[in-house]
């Protein structure tokens, strides 16, 4: 996976069109004004005092959702990507402020959730630094670990709407309702002319699903 695609998937998961690829879509009569504004914004982002105050101000907004925080953090990561030393310095300052904040409350909860701009910035920073290592060394084992965990999670009910599961490593995503379910074994037949599974696949592929799975979940397991 090339670095650009890797960065887009890490910074903006679930987005079909990454903001990195978008051009400046403004009327020609306003283009010069907008470009000047972007240059001024860039200058402000290069001010450590402004940037740290800007992030702290955003964090205390009650209407600023975790999803918005993650999106803003990714946009900031893209804008600071070419100045990694400055990015690292900003991150160290923000993390120091975060430590002081959690020490006064509950230190055990620190970094347990990626719900703040700082935590998402840290995730993005680590993703940048680990790209070569992941690509060359641990990419395949990590993927196999992910598939193995997902296989175990799929053995129990998974709420399609909330994403909560009976078997999960994340306590916040635990499906606490005691649901009754049964395992079903389906035979999936390939379309006529398909070469999936070779000669054995032509006889059908056995797939284990749950009687509480929706059609989309069944298709994913196939």
């Amino acid at each position: 996976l090339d670095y650009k695609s890797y960065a887009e998937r890490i910074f903006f998961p679930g987005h079909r069109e990454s903001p990195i690829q978008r051009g400046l879509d403004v009327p020609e009569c306003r283009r010069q004004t907008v470009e000047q504004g972007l240059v001024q914004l860039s200058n402000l982002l290069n001010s450590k005092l402004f940037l740290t105050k800007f992030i702290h101000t955003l964090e205390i907004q009650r209407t600023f959702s975790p999803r918005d925080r993650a999106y803003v953090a990714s946009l900031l990561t893209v804008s600071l990507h070419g100045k990694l030393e400055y990015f690292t310095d900003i991150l160290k300052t923000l993390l120091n402020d975060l430590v002081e904040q959690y020490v006064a409350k509950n230190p055990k909860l620190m970094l347990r959730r990626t719900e703040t701009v700082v935590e998402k910035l840290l995730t993005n920073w680590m993703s940048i630094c680990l790209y070569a290592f992941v690509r060359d060394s641990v990419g395949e084992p990590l993927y196999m670990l992910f598939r193995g965990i997902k296989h175990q999670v799929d053995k129990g009910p998974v709420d399609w709407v909330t994403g909560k599961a009976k078997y999960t490593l994340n306590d916040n995503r635990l499906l606490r309702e005691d649901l009754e379910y049964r395992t079903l074994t389906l035979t999936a037949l390939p379309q006529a002319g398909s070469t999936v599974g070779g000669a054995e696949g032509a006889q059908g592929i056995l797939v284990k699903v749950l009687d509480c799975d929706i059609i989309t979940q069944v298709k994913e397991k196939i």
Side-chain angles (χ1 to χ4, degrees):
L1 188 66
D2 63 281
Y3 181 73
K4 183 178 180 181
S5 300
Y6 168 83
E8 288 177 350
R9 295 181 184 183
I10 293 293
F11 299 160
F12 306 103
H15 288 261
R16 294 183 178 181
E17 183 181 357
S18 168
I20 300 176
Q21 299 179 351
R22 297 177 188 171
L24 191 60
D25 186 17
V26 295
E28 194 62 33
C29 60
R30 296 183 53 211
R31 178 173 292 273
Q32 184 176 359
T33 303
V34 173
E35 289 179 346
Q36 289 177 351
L38 290 174
V39 170
Q40 293 174 356
L41 176 61
S42 177
N43 292 335
L44 286 173
L45 293 179
N46 288 324
S47 167
K48 181 177 180 180
L49 177 62
F50 170 82
L51 186 53
T52 52
K53 292 297 183 182
F54 172 67
I55 293 175
H56 286 320
T57 302
L58 289 177
E59 293 281 20
I60 62 177
Q61 302 300 313
R62 294 184 178 180
T63 58
F64 199 44
S65 68
R67 185 174 182 178
D68 294 333
R69 298 169 197 265
Y71 195 72
V72 168
S74 292
L75 291 175
L76 288 175
T77 301
V78 172
S79 64
L80 301 176
H81 189 277
K83 303 174 182 178
L84 197 56
E85 291 185 5
Y86 173 63
F87 183 19
T88 304
D89 184 41
I90 292 293
L91 188 58
K92 288 169 63 177
T93 300
L94 293 173
L95 282 174
N96 183 65
D97 295 340
L98 188 67
V99 169
E100 293 180 354
Q101 176 184 341
Y102 272 97
V103 164
K105 296 180 179 179
N106 190 345
K108 295 181 180 180
L109 297 178
M110 182 176 173
L111 301 180
R112 287 188 61 182
R113 306 174 182 174
T114 308
E115 294 184 347
T116 65
V117 175
V118 184
E119 290 169 315
K120 182 59 178 175
L121 283 173
L122 177 61
T123 301
N124 292 344
W125 179 83
M126 293 183 66
S127 299
I128 294 172
C129 297
L130 290 173
Y131 169 69
F133 179 64
V134 171
R135 180 195 60 194
D136 300 332
S137 302
V138 300
E140 184 176 350
L142 280 177
Y143 177 74
M144 296 303 296
L145 175 62
F146 162 74
R147 295 301 303 177
I149 293 176
K150 190 176 188 320
H151 177 72
Q152 293 300 319
V153 171
D154 288 342
K155 286 184 177 181
V158 178
D159 190 314
W160 177 253
V161 177
T162 64
K164 293 184 177 181
K166 182 176 179 64
Y167 304 124
T168 177
L169 298 177
N170 187 349
D171 184 64
N172 295 319
R173 310 297 291 178
L174 178 63
L175 185 64
R176 301 186 185 279
E177 291 80 1
D178 190 14
L179 301 176
E180 294 184 3
Y181 64 94
R182 294 184 299 113
T183 302
L184 306 176
T185 301
L186 306 181
T187 301
L189 299 176
Q191 294 181 346
S194 174
T195 58
V196 176
E200 295 181 358
Q203 303 298 322
I205 302 173
L206 298 180
V207 182
K208 289 187 176 182
V209 301
L210 305 179
D211 60 354
C212 59
D213 286 342
I214 66 172
I215 295 176
T216 303
Q217 290 174 309
V218 172
K219 288 182 177 179
E220 286 184 349
K221 291 180 180 181
I222 294 176

